[in-house]
Amino acid sequence: MSFSAVDRQMMARALQLAERGLWTTAPNPRVGCVLWRAGEIVGEGWHEKAGEPHAEVHALRAAGERARGATAYVTLEPCSHHGRTPPCAEALIAAGVSRVVAAMVDPNPLVAGRGLALLAAAGIATASGLLESEARELNIGFVARMTRGRPWLRLKAAASLDGKTALNNGTSQWITGPDARRDGHRWRARACAVLTGVGTVRDDDPSLTVRDVETPRQPLRVIVDSRLETPPTAKVLAGGGALVCAAVDDPERAKMLRAAGAEVIFLANASGKVDLGALLEELGRRGINEVHAEAGSKLNGSLLRAGLVDEFVFYLAPCLIGDDASGLFSLPALTTLTDKRALRILDLRQLGPDIRLIARPS
């Protein structure tokens, strides 16, 4: 299907609106809507928070009677089911819009084409696929959760140019500069959960909160801790709400962690370690769309070996640390280069003196 220049301009605007919900819509997707009639925008809106009106409703309210006969540009197929709010497809029909263009079909099995079908049955012209890749990227975690049952996992790491993340005595602050660290907090703010391992908690005692950028909410802090070795005084537990996932039930240690405000769950694999795949599925059931991993080489390696890393955000500082320092991933030695893990680089840019590289498995 061909789209006009106006179609593309209006959908691009709808995507800009959708991005305003980057930090607030989970577990819902980020959605924007623009209403266009007679050569002008008559209404626009975006989904601001789960449980509150969707983007289409905000746009229809802004347009009022001017919505009749308008084209609605929506970054995600209008919903057709009753959730916390009524179906947006029905609201568009009642408003009398003449055409609906969706960037992509909703991957939610409760919708999955039913919204567009409902609109078409009411005599409204429908189309989809306009700027679909941009819309999918904006909701990549929601799409992942809906289609495979687990969140999108983005692994962040800061290292020297020779791939070292810390000295062999554990010192790691700071390899990269303030610009890179601030950018890392933006990714942390976007995520629904921050994942780390007990080794990082013991060595660095991080809080794993968003600090360097403004955010309306803090992500869930998740600790992979097979033997419940997280100190009850750890900063990551401050304020309550952290989730500790273990493999071995130690009632006394679990009691201390719960007293410190943490939730403790047990998900063991056959090796007596935390089942990382099961953990991500549990986070998916809790409505977590994007997970931001900041861990040491052991957990990084385990996530990579399990095929659970969807994206890498690497910050590389212009320095060399040496062979004895800690590396990015704990992985078995290769005997042939044909076994190397190939990555596809999506973005490469300089932040202050450092380089940021975003890549995904090929």
Side-chain angles (χ1 to χ4, degrees), residues 18-275:
E19 195 170 356
R20 296 184 184 182
L22 198 62
W23 303 279
T24 58
T25 63
N28 292 351
R30 300 139 180 161
V31 182
C33 177
V34 172
L35 295 174
W36 172 267
R37 192 186 80 170
E40 66 174 335
I41 293 175
V42 296
E44 60 182 28
W46 68 94
H47 182 42
E48 299 175 13
K49 189 176 182 181
E52 296 183 1
H54 290 184
E56 298 93 323
V57 174
H58 284 298
L60 290 171
R61 288 176 180 174
E65 286 300 316
R66 295 182 299 170
R68 189 162 301 277
T71 294
Y73 297 91
V74 193
T75 58
L76 187 68
E77 175 188 8
C79 61
S80 57
H81 66 291
H82 285 268
R84 298 188 192 180
T85 58
C88 292
E90 292 182 1
L92 291 166
I93 294 169
V97 302
S98 62
R99 179 175 176 240
V100 174
V101 180
M104 61 178 288
V105 172
D106 193 335
N108 186 343
L110 295 175
V111 185
R114 294 181 182 88
L116 291 173
L118 185 63
L119 293 164
I124 297 173
T126 63
S128 63
L130 176 58
L131 302 185
E132 180 175 359
S133 60
E134 291 87 344
R136 186 172 293 273
E137 283 295 320
L138 185 62
N139 283 308
I140 199 162
F142 178 77
V143 173
R145 184 167 66 87
M146 287 293 132
T147 57
R148 68 186 188 190
R150 60 180 171 85
W152 182 264
L153 191 143
R154 185 177 292 112
L155 190 152
K156 172 261 181 182
S160 60
L161 283 183
D162 52 349
K164 303 303 179 180
T165 61
L167 303 181
N168 60 12
N169 63 9
T171 301
S172 62
Q173 297 179 346
W174 297 102
I175 291 177
T176 54
D179 292 338
R181 296 199 297 273
R182 191 175 301 109
D183 189 72
H185 276 260
R186 291 191 184 96
W187 288 106
R188 192 186 281 183
R190 170 175 173 152
C192 308
V194 177
L195 177 71
T196 196
V198 66
T200 298
V201 172
R202 285 198 312 258
D203 295 343
D204 299 341
D205 195 20
S207 63
L208 295 184
T209 55
V210 179
R211 297 182 301 278
D212 288 354
V213 297
E214 292 186 9
T215 181
R217 59 106 173 101
Q218 291 290 343
L220 173 70
R221 290 154 292 168
V222 183
I223 307 162
V224 176
D225 181 3
S226 292
R227 295 187 294 273
L228 291 177
E229 297 173 318
T230 299
T233 56
K235 291 179 183 177
V236 72
L237 303 181
L243 176 66
V244 179
C245 185
V248 179
D249 189 359
D250 185 320
E252 188 60 32
R253 289 182 178 178
K255 181 180 179 181
M256 288 191 296
L257 290 173
R258 291 187 177 110
E263 179 185 357
V264 180
I265 62 173
F266 298 92
L267 295 170
N269 60 20
S271 301
K273 302 291 186 180
V274 169
D275 188 325

